[in-house]
Amino acid sequence: LGHDPSRVSCISNLLRAPRLEDLDLSWNCLPKETFEALGAAVCETEVLHTLCISNCTGSRTEDGEAPINSFLECLSGDKSLTKLDITSNTLDHLGAFVLEDALAKHAKLEELQISNNPL
């Protein structure tokens, strides 16, 4: 997906698939806008159980933030994920606080993989 101009609409359309239960987008370099769209789309679906987005953060934003934080901010609105893999996404202590807040409101998540992040 990378920096293709259609990446946001591609993710939104993909997550509208009525039977999509598992999705692996690992090893795609996703900018902040794509993480935001992914977070919004994940919250709209009711059937996605497993999401793997490991190693999707190519670099930090201009303000030094890990782009995946935009996705994590949306996570509290999700009601279907049971497994989430966010390994190797430059998640630091600030992202961990965002994740903590989101998980406090997320009752279904059973498995979270966060290895290889500079926590």
Side-chain angles (χ1 to χ4, degrees):
L1 294 170
H3 293 281
D4 186 294
S6 63
R7 68 188 176 273
V8 171
S9 63
C10 178
I11 285 181
S12 298
N13 290 332
L14 180 64
L15 284 165
R16 286 190 193 116
R19 294 188 178 155
L20 182 67
E21 294 182 9
D22 302 309
L23 180 61
D24 190 343
L25 294 173
S26 299
W27 292 91
N28 279 287
C29 183
L30 305 178
K32 182 178 181 176
E33 298 80 25
T34 307
F35 273 114
E36 289 171 351
L38 177 61
V42 164
C43 290
E44 290 177 13
T45 182
E46 296 179 4
V47 296
L48 186 66
H49 300 297
T50 302
L51 178 61
C52 298
I53 48 175
S54 64
N55 205 12
C56 287
T57 298
S59 61
R60 295 188 176 272
T61 62
E62 292 177 5
D63 60 359
E65 185 178 352
I68 194 165
N69 290 357
S70 299
F71 168 79
L72 297 176
E73 289 173 1
C74 299
L75 190 60
S76 63
D78 171 65
K79 303 296 182 229
S80 64
L81 281 180
T82 58
K83 180 181 176 184
L84 177 63
D85 181 353
I86 55 172
T87 59
S88 301
N89 274 298
T90 65
L91 182 70
D92 60 11
H93 67 284
L94 298 174
F97 286 124
V98 174
L99 179 61
E100 177 188 25
D101 186 53
L103 292 178
K105 300 170 187 159
H106 198 294
K108 285 198 168 189
L109 195 66
E110 297 171 359
E111 185 177 336
L112 174 65
Q113 295 183 20
I114 58 170
S115 61
N116 296 324
N117 282 296
L119 296 172

